[in-house]
Amino acid sequence: MSSQPLVVEEWRRVILHVDADAFFVACEQATNPRLKGRPVVVGRERGIVTAASYEAKARGIKRGMRIWEVKRLCPEAIVLHSDYEKYSLFSVRLGEILREFSPQVEQYSIDEAFVDLTGLRRPSHSSYEMLGRRIQEAITTELDISVSIGISLTKVLAKIASREGKPGGLTVIRGREIHRHLERLPIAEVWGVGPNTAAWCAKLGINTALDFARRSEGFIRSHFSKPFYEIWQELNGTVVYPVRPEPKESYRSISKVRTFAPTGDRSAIYAQLSANLEDACFKARRYRLAPQRLIVLLRTQEFEERAVELRLSTACAYPIILGRFVQKGFEELYEPGRVYRQTGVMLTNLVAVRHTQTSLFEDQVQLERLERLYRAVDGLRTRLGMEVVAGGWALRGPAPADRLKIPMVNIRV
DNA sequence: TCTGGGGTCCTAGGACCC
DNA sequence: TCTGGGGTCCTAGGACCC
């Protein structure tokens, strides 16, 4: 078995990873100090736990758990609706604080960020570790939330570092210490390695992150696909994933799905689908995007997923137009007598709205009318909430299928 | 994990062309 | 009609992430 010496120079690149601890709950506790130190859970509106405070976790409450189960396990638990607006504000502020230290900040998700600290040791007159402490203190002081910080040579290693000290820790992994941090870490816990690849690794005799990192480059390349070769490099201290400061300004796909109490009722299911379409289109218009394709999906009670993909003759994000396609997809998928529990609409092959053609609309007047209509709808929703306007078409059952003449491509089951 | 919602990227293999 | 080789594009589906 060939083996690879583990690196490395002291600091080639210095990447810091910030991971907020129990973020959603922490935001609630920061804005309502009476919640501090108590078992708090967020996710009431969905009936499952989206986030749990450490006090709640200590009593066995986990993400994804049913709320009724939480109450049984811990009657004094406080169960809150999630408030994404609030969490987004905290997240934005977190980013601003980080940018006071370095312009190279990537907000990876609502509660995580990477910062490239390379070269900041001298100008800040402190070690990278001290810099990390100052960042941590600034966040705690300003936002009143706890974060875990990891500092290392690559993103993958920095993620490993921040996890090690959770919650509230600060861990530095230097080049010559890498092996110590990987030797007891199961390969499945490395960022980017899921259960499937972990199982494959086990077959190859790879159990820890160190086992993986120590295999030769040739071995990795011949037994794994590209993403895992990249992870291997990152574990060995070679930067493959740079810190990308550009904010996300667009999407490749937009989807809305909803799970409901199992039903076989045709109109009820179709109404859910129409609501999915409304929501997805609303989001697309907000980003000035229009789909060229649309996927309709139904999930049965047995958890089987059936989907159909439709090509749109013209990209647009108006439910009045796309509703016909959704209906066509629905007709294709729906089987009377079956019980369904989820619907979904995904908009894909998104293009910037400027570049869309208007050939679908015989007359320009109709297009302008639609634009005005949806501008008004979107304005109301932005100010008053999504529920304020619902399309009548969302409440009606589907029209007879034989009136539809829409080309359809690709059935996926 | 007996199952919520929203995303991204990679790859094998088929279609099509020369 | 069969044989040969090679390139590109697209799609379905897999795998993972928070």
Side-chain angles (χ1 to χ4, degrees):
Chain A
M1 185 178 305
S2 51
S3 126
Q4 164 87 7
L6 217 44
V7 245
V8 173
E9 311 152 40
E10 177 89 347
W11 289 123
R12 233 180 292 178
R13 198 100 214 144
V14 187
I15 311 289
L16 177 144
H17 180 241
V18 192
D19 196 337
D21 303 318
F23 182 61
F24 291 180
V25 169
C27 294
E28 298 295 348
Q29 289 172 322
T31 48
N32 180 1
R34 276 176 302 180
L35 299 175
K36 285 185 183 176
R38 304 176 63 180
V40 179
V41 153
V42 161
R44 176 188 281 278
E45 73 288 349
R46 288 198 313 195
I48 60 159
V49 176
T50 306
S53 69
Y54 281 87
E55 295 79 11
K57 284 178 187 166
R59 306 191 192 202
I61 294 168
K62 293 186 175 123
R63 274 190 61 206
M65 195 176 265
R66 318 260 129 208
I67 294 299
W68 59 262
E69 216 175 329
V70 170
K71 299 225 164 113
R72 202 195 42 174
L73 211 62
C74 176
E76 69 277 28
I78 299 160
V79 181
L80 303 172
H81 274 83
S82 29
D83 180 351
Y84 284 88
E85 296 282 325
K86 182 187 288 181
Y87 314 147
S88 297
L89 290 174
F90 271 81
S91 184
V92 167
R93 187 63 198 126
L94 175 67
E96 289 169 357
I97 295 168
L98 295 173
R99 274 182 285 274
E100 289 167 16
F101 291 86
S102 165
Q104 303 294 308
V105 172
E106 175 183 341
Q107 290 198 263
Y108 176 72
S109 72
I110 196 163
D111 69 340
E112 275 181 63
F114 292 99
V115 187
D116 192 330
L117 296 181
T118 312
L120 293 183
R121 188 160 42 175
R122 259 170 233 282
S124 67
H125 304 293
S126 59
S127 65
Y128 288 122
E129 182 166 351
M130 281 308 300
L131 207 47
R133 294 241 176 260
R134 280 168 45 206
I135 289 173
Q136 202 170 30
E137 280 165 24
I139 294 166
T140 308
T141 307
E142 283 210 43
L143 297 180
D144 197 17
I145 63 170
S146 158
V147 296
S148 300
I149 285 186
I151 299 174
S152 192
L153 290 82
T154 66
K155 280 184 169 179
V156 169
L157 289 168
K159 281 268 269 191
I160 289 169
S162 68
R163 259 189 48 158
E164 249 182 57
K166 229 169 188 344
L170 185 148
T171 305
V172 181
I173 302 180
R174 294 172 182 80
R176 65 185 130 75
E177 307 163 343
I178 294 176
H179 69 279
R180 281 205 294 112
H181 296 264
L182 303 189
E183 93 199 321
R184 268 184 230 88
L185 186 69
I187 184 64
E189 287 177 29
V190 173
W191 187 35
V193 178
N196 229 284
T197 305
W200 173 233
C201 283
K203 278 212 175 73
L204 297 170
I206 296 169
N207 297 301
T208 68
L210 189 63
D211 294 340
F212 185 75
R214 284 240 164 113
R215 292 299 176 105
S216 72
E217 179 168 355
F219 180 87
I220 297 295
R221 295 185 72 150
S222 61
H223 290 79
F224 295 88
S225 62
K226 186 177 159 195
F228 303 98
Y229 173 52
E230 292 173 348
I231 290 167
W232 176 86
Q233 291 177 91
E234 287 251 324
L235 285 173
N236 280 287
T238 302
V239 171
V240 182
Y241 307 129
V243 173
R244 284 175 293 121
E246 319 81 40
K248 180 186 181 81
E249 80 303 328
S250 197
Y251 288 92
R252 305 185 74 85
S253 69
I254 290 173
S255 62
K256 291 286 170 183
V257 307
R258 192 180 292 165
T259 303
F260 40 84
T263 175
D265 185 85
R266 185 183 164 85
S267 314
I269 296 164
Y270 187 70
Q272 293 283 351
L273 215 42
S274 301
N276 294 149
L277 179 65
E278 282 286 333
D279 294 349
C281 285
F282 178 66
K283 182 167 179 181
R285 292 196 299 274
R286 187 146 46 96
Y287 287 90
R288 304 198 58 73
L289 294 170
Q292 295 175 299
R293 294 189 197 184
L294 180 154
I295 294 167
V296 177
L297 118 103
L298 295 184
R299 195 185 287 279
T300 67
Q301 191 174 25
E302 297 77 36
F303 226 74
E304 274 169 52
E305 183 182 298
R306 317 221 160 164
V308 59
E309 178 169 353
L310 300 112
R311 260 180 234 232
L312 310 177
S313 40
T314 298
C316 85
Y318 301 129
I320 283 184
I321 305 294
L322 299 188
R324 296 197 292 257
F325 292 85
V326 168
Q327 185 184 344
K328 176 73 180 161
F330 175 76
E331 304 291 353
E332 193 67 29
L333 296 171
Y334 176 76
E335 289 176 53
R338 288 204 78 144
V339 177
Y340 295 89
R341 51 128 63 201
Q342 186 182 61
T343 60
V345 167
M346 189 187 303
L347 310 179
T348 68
N349 292 56
L350 295 167
V351 292
V353 107
R354 256 176 244 104
H355 306 311
T356 60
Q357 302 159 12
T358 57
S359 63
L360 182 67
F361 306 95
E362 304 297 62
D363 77 90
Q364 192 64 24
V365 179
Q366 194 200 346
L367 174 66
E368 281 164 14
R369 250 189 234 142
L370 276 177
E371 270 177 10
R372 273 205 305 279
L373 168 65
Y374 279 105
R375 248 204 310 278
V377 168
D378 293 350
L380 282 173
R381 281 181 176 158
T382 306
R383 292 205 306 276
L384 304 171
M386 276 306 279
E387 310 76 26
V388 76
V389 187
W393 53 89
L395 306 173
R396 272 203 314 265
D402 54 16
R403 290 224 303 267
L404 294 166
K405 289 208 181 73
I406 292 168
M408 187 172 53
V409 196
N410 289 325
I411 313 285
R412 308 192 311 167
V413 175

Coordinates of all heavy atoms in Angstrom, one line a residue, chain A residues 143-214:
Chain A
L143 N -23.1 40.9 18.4 CA -24.3 40.1 18.0 C -24.8 39.3 19.2 O -26.0 38.8 19.1 CB -24.1 39.2 16.8 CG -23.7 39.9 15.5 CD1 -23.5 38.9 14.4 CD2 -24.8 40.9 15.1
D144 N -24.0 39.1 20.2 CA -24.5 38.3 21.3 C -24.8 36.9 21.0 O -25.8 36.3 21.4 CB -25.7 39.0 22.0 CG -25.9 38.5 23.4 OD1 -25.0 37.8 24.0 OD2 -27.0 38.6 24.0
I145 N -24.0 36.4 20.0 CA -24.2 35.0 19.7 C -22.8 34.3 19.8 O -21.8 35.0 19.7 CB -24.7 34.7 18.2 CG1 -23.7 35.3 17.2 CG2 -26.1 35.4 18.1 CD1 -24.1 34.9 15.8
S146 N -22.8 33.0 19.9 CA -21.5 32.3 20.0 C -21.1 31.7 18.7 O -22.0 31.2 17.9 CB -21.7 31.2 21.1 OG -20.7 30.2 20.9
V147 N -19.9 31.8 18.3 CA -19.4 31.2 17.1 C -18.2 30.3 17.4 O -17.4 30.5 18.3 CB -19.0 32.2 16.0 CG1 -20.2 33.0 15.6 CG2 -17.9 33.1 16.5
S148 N -18.0 29.3 16.5 CA -16.8 28.4 16.6 C -15.9 28.8 15.4 O -16.4 29.1 14.3 CB -17.2 27.0 16.5 OG -18.1 26.6 17.5
I149 N -14.7 28.8 15.7 CA -13.7 29.3 14.6 C -12.7 28.2 14.4 O -12.2 27.6 15.4 CB -13.1 30.6 15.0 CG1 -14.2 31.7 14.8 CG2 -11.8 30.9 14.2 CD1 -13.7 33.1 15.0
G150 N -12.4 28.0 13.2 CA -11.3 27.1 12.8 C -10.3 27.9 11.9 O -10.8 28.6 11.0
I151 N -9.0 27.6 12.1 CA -8.0 28.3 11.2 C -7.1 27.2 10.7 O -6.5 26.4 11.5 CB -7.2 29.4 12.0 CG1 -8.2 30.5 12.5 CG2 -6.1 30.0 11.1 CD1 -7.5 31.5 13.4
S152 N -6.9 27.2 9.4 CA -6.0 26.2 8.8 C -5.6 26.7 7.4 O -5.8 27.8 7.0 CB -6.6 24.8 8.8 OG -5.5 23.9 8.5
L153 N -5.0 25.7 6.7 CA -4.4 26.0 5.4 C -5.4 26.0 4.2 O -5.2 26.6 3.2 CB -3.3 25.1 5.0 CG -2.0 25.2 5.8 CD1 -2.1 24.4 7.1 CD2 -0.8 24.6 5.0
T154 N -6.5 25.3 4.4 CA -7.5 25.2 3.3 C -8.9 25.2 4.0 O -9.1 25.1 5.2 CB -7.4 23.8 2.6 OG1 -7.7 22.7 3.5 CG2 -6.0 23.6 2.1
K155 N -9.9 25.3 3.1 CA -11.3 25.4 3.6 C -11.6 24.1 4.3 O -12.3 24.1 5.3 CB -12.2 25.6 2.4 CG -12.4 27.0 1.9 CD -13.4 27.1 0.8 CE -13.8 28.5 0.5 NZ -14.8 28.5 -0.6
V156 N -11.3 22.9 3.7 CA -11.7 21.7 4.2 C -11.1 21.5 5.6 O -11.7 21.1 6.6 CB -11.3 20.5 3.3 CG1 -11.4 19.2 4.0 CG2 -12.1 20.5 2.0
L157 N -9.8 21.9 5.8 CA -9.1 21.8 7.1 C -9.7 22.8 8.1 O -9.9 22.5 9.3 CB -7.6 22.0 6.9 CG -6.9 20.8 6.2 CD1 -5.5 21.2 5.9 CD2 -6.9 19.6 7.1
A158 N -10.1 24.0 7.6 CA -10.6 25.0 8.5 C -12.0 24.5 9.0 O -12.3 24.8 10.2 CB -10.7 26.3 7.8
K159 N -12.7 23.8 8.2 CA -14.0 23.3 8.6 C -13.8 22.2 9.7 O -14.6 22.2 10.7 CB -14.8 22.6 7.4 CG -15.5 23.6 6.5 CD -16.9 23.8 6.8 CE -17.9 22.9 6.2 NZ -19.3 23.4 6.5
I160 N -12.8 21.4 9.5 CA -12.5 20.4 10.5 C -12.2 21.1 11.8 O -12.6 20.7 12.9 CB -11.4 19.5 10.0 CG1 -11.9 18.6 8.9 CG2 -10.8 18.6 11.1 CD1 -10.9 17.8 8.1
A161 N -11.4 22.1 11.7 CA -10.9 22.8 12.9 C -12.1 23.5 13.6 O -12.2 23.3 14.9 CB -9.9 23.9 12.5
S162 N -13.0 24.1 12.9 CA -14.1 24.8 13.6 C -15.0 23.8 14.3 O -15.5 24.1 15.4 CB -14.9 25.7 12.7 OG -15.6 24.9 11.8
R163 N -15.2 22.7 13.7 CA -16.0 21.6 14.3 C -15.5 21.1 15.6 O -16.2 20.7 16.5 CB -16.2 20.5 13.3 CG -17.6 20.6 12.6 CD -17.8 19.4 11.9 NE -17.6 18.2 12.7 CZ -18.1 17.0 12.4 NH1 -18.9 16.9 11.3 NH2 -17.8 15.9 13.1
E164 N -14.1 21.0 15.6 CA -13.5 20.4 16.8 C -13.8 21.1 18.1 O -13.9 20.6 19.1 CB -12.0 20.4 16.5 CG -11.4 19.0 16.4 CD -9.9 19.1 16.2 OE1 -9.2 19.6 17.1 OE2 -9.4 18.6 15.1
G165 N -13.9 22.4 17.9 CA -14.1 23.2 19.1 C -15.5 23.7 19.4 O -15.7 24.6 20.2
K166 N -16.4 23.1 18.7 CA -17.8 23.5 18.9 C -18.4 23.1 20.3 O -18.1 22.0 20.7 CB -18.6 22.8 17.8 CG -19.5 23.8 17.1 CD -20.1 23.3 15.8 CE -20.9 24.3 15.0 NZ -21.3 25.5 15.6
P167 N -19.1 23.9 20.9 CA -19.4 25.3 20.6 C -18.4 26.3 21.2 O -17.9 26.0 22.2 CB -20.8 25.5 21.2 CG -20.8 24.6 22.4 CD -19.9 23.4 22.1
G168 N -18.3 27.4 20.6 CA -17.5 28.5 21.2 C -16.0 28.4 21.1 O -15.3 29.2 21.7
G169 N -15.5 27.3 20.4 CA -14.1 27.1 20.4 C -13.3 27.9 19.3 O -13.9 28.5 18.5
L170 N -12.0 27.8 19.4 CA -11.1 28.3 18.4 C -10.0 27.3 18.2 O -9.3 27.0 19.2 CB -10.6 29.7 18.7 CG -9.8 30.3 17.6 CD1 -9.9 31.8 17.6 CD2 -8.3 30.0 17.7
T171 N -9.9 26.7 17.1 CA -8.9 25.7 16.8 C -8.1 26.0 15.6 O -8.6 26.4 14.6 CB -9.6 24.3 16.5 OG1 -10.5 24.0 17.6 CG2 -8.6 23.2 16.4
V172 N -6.7 25.9 15.8 CA -5.8 26.2 14.7 C -5.2 24.9 14.3 O -4.7 24.1 15.2 CB -4.7 27.2 15.2 CG1 -3.8 27.5 14.0 CG2 -5.4 28.5 15.7
I173 N -5.2 24.6 13.0 CA -4.5 23.4 12.5 C -3.3 23.9 11.6 O -3.6 24.3 10.5 CB -5.4 22.4 11.8 CG1 -6.6 22.0 12.7 CG2 -4.6 21.2 11.3 CD1 -7.5 21.0 12.0
R174 N -2.1 23.7 12.1 CA -0.9 24.1 11.3 C -0.5 22.9 10.5 O -0.9 21.8 10.8 CB 0.2 24.5 12.2 CG -0.1 25.8 13.0 CD 1.0 26.1 14.1 NE 0.6 27.3 14.8 CZ -0.3 27.4 15.8 NH1 -0.9 26.2 16.2 NH2 -0.6 28.5 16.4
G175 N 0.3 23.2 9.5 CA 0.7 22.2 8.5 C 1.2 20.9 9.2 O 0.8 19.8 8.9
R176 N 2.1 21.1 10.1 CA 2.7 19.9 10.7 C 1.8 19.2 11.7 O 2.2 18.1 12.2 CB 4.1 20.3 11.4 CG 4.0 21.2 12.6 CD 5.4 21.6 13.0 NE 5.4 23.1 13.2 CZ 4.9 23.7 14.2 NH1 4.2 23.1 15.1 NH2 5.0 25.1 14.3
E177 N 0.7 19.8 12.0 CA -0.2 19.1 13.0 C -1.4 18.4 12.3 O -2.3 17.9 13.0 CB -0.8 20.2 13.9 CG 0.2 21.0 14.6 CD -0.4 22.3 15.2 OE1 -1.6 22.6 14.8 OE2 0.2 22.9 16.1
I178 N -1.5 18.5 11.0 CA -2.6 18.0 10.3 C -3.0 16.6 10.7 O -4.1 16.3 11.1 CB -2.5 18.1 8.8 CG1 -2.4 19.6 8.3 CG2 -3.6 17.4 8.0 CD1 -2.1 19.7 6.8
H179 N -1.9 15.7 10.7 CA -2.2 14.3 10.9 C -2.9 14.1 12.3 O -3.7 13.2 12.4 CB -0.9 13.5 10.8 CG 0.1 13.8 11.9 ND1 0.9 14.9 11.9 CD2 0.3 13.1 13.0 CE1 1.6 14.8 13.0 NE2 1.3 13.8 13.7
R180 N -2.5 14.9 13.3 CA -3.1 14.7 14.6 C -4.6 14.9 14.6 O -5.4 14.3 15.3 CB -2.5 15.7 15.6 CG -1.1 15.2 16.1 CD -0.8 15.9 17.5 NE -0.7 17.3 17.4 CZ -1.6 18.2 17.9 NH1 -2.7 17.7 18.6 NH2 -1.4 19.5 17.8
H181 N -5.0 15.8 13.7 CA -6.5 16.2 13.7 C -7.3 15.2 12.8 O -8.5 15.2 12.8 CB -6.6 17.6 13.2 CG -6.0 18.6 14.1 ND1 -6.8 19.3 15.1 CD2 -4.8 19.0 14.3 CE1 -6.0 20.1 15.8 NE2 -4.8 20.0 15.4
L182 N -6.5 14.5 11.9 CA -7.3 13.6 11.0 C -7.3 12.2 11.5 O -8.1 11.4 11.0 CB -6.6 13.7 9.6 CG -6.5 15.0 8.9 CD1 -6.0 14.8 7.5 CD2 -7.8 15.8 8.9
E183 N -6.4 11.9 12.4 CA -6.3 10.5 12.7 C -7.5 9.8 13.4 O -7.7 8.7 13.3 CB -4.9 10.2 13.4 CG -4.9 10.2 14.9 CD -3.4 10.4 15.4 OE1 -2.5 9.8 14.7 OE2 -3.2 11.1 16.4
R184 N -8.2 10.6 14.2 CA -9.4 10.0 14.8 C -10.7 10.5 14.2 O -11.8 10.2 14.7 CB -9.4 10.4 16.3 CG -8.7 9.3 17.1 CD -8.8 9.5 18.6 NE -7.5 9.4 19.2 CZ -6.6 10.4 19.4 NH1 -6.9 11.6 18.9 NH2 -5.4 10.2 19.9
L185 N -10.6 11.2 13.1 CA -11.8 11.7 12.4 C -12.3 10.7 11.4 O -11.6 10.5 10.4 CB -11.4 13.1 11.7 CG -12.6 13.8 11.1 CD1 -13.5 14.4 12.2 CD2 -12.0 15.0 10.2
P186 N -13.5 10.2 11.6 CA -14.1 9.3 10.6 C -14.2 10.0 9.2 O -14.5 11.2 9.2 CB -15.5 9.0 11.1 CG -15.4 9.3 12.6 CD -14.4 10.4 12.7
I187 N -13.9 9.3 8.2 CA -13.9 9.9 6.8 C -15.3 10.5 6.5 O -15.4 11.5 5.8 CB -13.4 8.9 5.8 CG1 -13.3 9.5 4.4 CG2 -14.3 7.7 5.7 CD1 -12.3 10.6 4.3
A188 N -16.3 9.9 7.0 CA -17.7 10.4 6.7 C -17.9 11.8 7.3 O -18.8 12.5 6.9 CB -18.7 9.4 7.3
E189 N -17.0 12.2 8.2 CA -17.3 13.6 8.8 C -16.5 14.7 8.1 O -16.6 15.8 8.4 CB -17.0 13.5 10.3 CG -18.0 12.8 11.0 CD -17.8 12.6 12.5 OE1 -17.1 13.5 13.1 OE2 -18.2 11.6 13.1
V190 N -15.8 14.3 7.0 CA -15.1 15.3 6.3 C -16.1 16.0 5.3 O -17.0 15.3 4.7 CB -14.0 14.7 5.5 CG1 -13.4 15.7 4.5 CG2 -12.9 14.1 6.4
W191 N -16.0 17.3 5.2 CA -16.9 18.0 4.3 C -16.8 17.5 2.9 O -15.8 17.4 2.3 CB -16.4 19.5 4.4 CG -17.3 20.5 3.7 CD1 -18.6 20.5 3.6 CD2 -16.8 21.7 3.0 NE1 -19.0 21.6 2.9 CE2 -17.9 22.4 2.5 CE3 -15.5 22.2 2.8 CZ2 -17.8 23.6 1.8 CZ3 -15.4 23.4 2.1 CH2 -16.5 24.1 1.6
G192 N -18.0 17.1 2.4 CA -18.0 16.6 1.0 C -18.0 15.1 0.9 O -18.3 14.6 -0.2
V193 N -17.8 14.5 2.0 CA -17.9 13.0 2.0 C -19.2 12.5 2.6 O -19.4 12.7 3.8 CB -16.7 12.4 2.7 CG1 -16.8 10.8 2.7 CG2 -15.4 12.8 2.1
G194 N -20.0 12.0 1.8 CA -21.3 11.6 2.3 C -21.3 10.1 2.6 O -20.3 9.4 2.5
P195 N -22.5 9.6 3.0 CA -22.6 8.2 3.4 C -22.2 7.2 2.3 O -21.6 6.2 2.6 CB -24.1 8.0 3.7 CG -24.8 9.2 3.3 CD -23.7 10.3 3.1
N196 N -22.5 7.6 1.1 CA -22.1 6.7 -0.1 C -20.7 6.5 -0.2 O -20.1 5.4 -0.4 CB -22.7 7.3 -1.3 CG -23.5 6.2 -2.1 OD1 -22.9 5.4 -2.7 ND2 -24.8 6.3 -1.9
T197 N -20.0 7.6 -0.3 CA -18.5 7.6 -0.4 C -17.9 7.0 0.8 O -16.9 6.3 0.7 CB -18.0 9.0 -0.7 OG1 -18.7 9.5 -1.8 CG2 -16.5 9.0 -1.0
A198 N -18.4 7.2 2.0 CA -17.9 6.7 3.2 C -17.9 5.1 3.1 O -17.0 4.4 3.5 CB -18.6 7.2 4.4
A199 N -19.0 4.6 2.6 CA -19.2 3.2 2.4 C -18.1 2.6 1.4 O -17.5 1.6 1.7 CB -20.6 2.8 1.9
W200 N -17.9 3.3 0.4 CA -16.9 3.0 -0.6 C -15.5 3.0 0.0 O -14.7 2.0 -0.2 CB -17.0 3.9 -1.8 CG -15.9 3.8 -2.9 CD1 -15.2 4.8 -3.4 CD2 -15.5 2.6 -3.6 NE1 -14.3 4.3 -4.3 CE2 -14.5 3.0 -4.5 CE3 -15.9 1.3 -3.6 CZ2 -13.9 2.1 -5.3 CZ3 -15.3 0.4 -4.4 CH2 -14.3 0.8 -5.3
C201 N -15.3 4.0 0.8 CA -14.0 4.1 1.5 C -13.8 2.9 2.4 O -12.7 2.3 2.4 CB -13.9 5.4 2.3 SG -13.6 6.9 1.4
A202 N -14.8 2.5 3.1 CA -14.7 1.4 4.0 C -14.3 0.1 3.3 O -13.5 -0.7 3.7 CB -16.0 1.2 4.8
K203 N -14.8 -0.1 2.1 CA -14.5 -1.2 1.2 C -13.0 -1.2 0.9 O -12.4 -2.2 0.7 CB -15.3 -1.2 0.0 CG -16.7 -1.8 0.1 CD -17.1 -2.4 -1.2 CE -18.4 -3.1 -1.0 NZ -19.6 -2.2 -0.9
L204 N -12.5 0.0 0.8 CA -11.1 0.2 0.4 C -10.2 0.2 1.6 O -9.0 0.4 1.5 CB -10.9 1.5 -0.4 CG -11.6 1.6 -1.7 CD1 -11.5 3.0 -2.3 CD2 -11.1 0.6 -2.8
G205 N -10.8 0.0 2.8 CA -9.9 0.0 4.0 C -9.6 1.4 4.5 O -8.7 1.5 5.3
I206 N -10.4 2.3 4.1 CA -10.2 3.7 4.5 C -11.2 4.1 5.5 O -12.4 4.1 5.2 CB -10.3 4.7 3.3 CG1 -9.1 4.4 2.3 CG2 -10.2 6.2 3.8 CD1 -9.3 5.2 1.0
N207 N -10.8 4.3 6.8 CA -11.8 4.6 7.8 C -11.7 6.0 8.4 O -12.7 6.6 8.6 CB -11.7 3.6 8.9 CG -12.0 2.2 8.5 OD1 -13.1 1.9 8.0 ND2 -11.0 1.3 8.6
T208 N -10.5 6.5 8.5 CA -10.3 7.8 9.0 C -9.9 8.8 7.9 O -9.5 8.4 6.8 CB -9.3 7.9 10.1 OG1 -8.0 7.6 9.5 CG2 -9.5 6.8 11.2
A209 N -10.0 10.1 8.2 CA -9.6 11.1 7.3 C -8.1 11.0 7.0 O -7.7 11.2 5.9 CB -9.9 12.5 7.8
L210 N -7.4 10.5 8.0 CA -5.9 10.3 7.8 C -5.7 9.2 6.8 O -4.8 9.3 5.9 CB -5.2 10.1 9.1 CG -3.7 10.1 9.0 CD1 -3.2 11.4 8.6 CD2 -3.1 9.7 10.4
D211 N -6.4 8.1 7.0 CA -6.3 7.0 6.0 C -6.4 7.5 4.6 O -5.7 7.1 3.7 CB -7.4 5.9 6.2 CG -7.3 5.2 7.5 OD1 -6.2 5.2 8.1 OD2 -8.3 4.6 8.0
F212 N -7.4 8.3 4.4 CA -7.7 8.9 3.1 C -6.6 9.8 2.6 O -6.1 9.7 1.5 CB -9.0 9.6 3.1 CG -9.5 10.1 1.8 CD1 -10.1 9.3 0.9 CD2 -9.4 11.5 1.5 CE1 -10.6 9.7 -0.4 CE2 -9.9 12.0 0.3 CZ -10.5 11.1 -0.7
A213 N -6.2 10.7 3.5 CA -5.2 11.7 3.1 C -3.8 11.1 2.8 O -3.1 11.6 2.0 CB -5.0 12.7 4.2
R214 N -3.6 9.9 3.4 CA -2.3 9.3 3.2 C -2.2 8.4 2.0 O -1.1 7.9 1.6 CB -2.0 8.4 4.5 CG -1.5 9.3 5.6 CD -0.1 8.9 6.1 NE 0.5 10.0 6.9 CZ 0.8 9.8 8.2 NH1 0.5 8.7 8.8 NH2 1.3 10.8 8.9

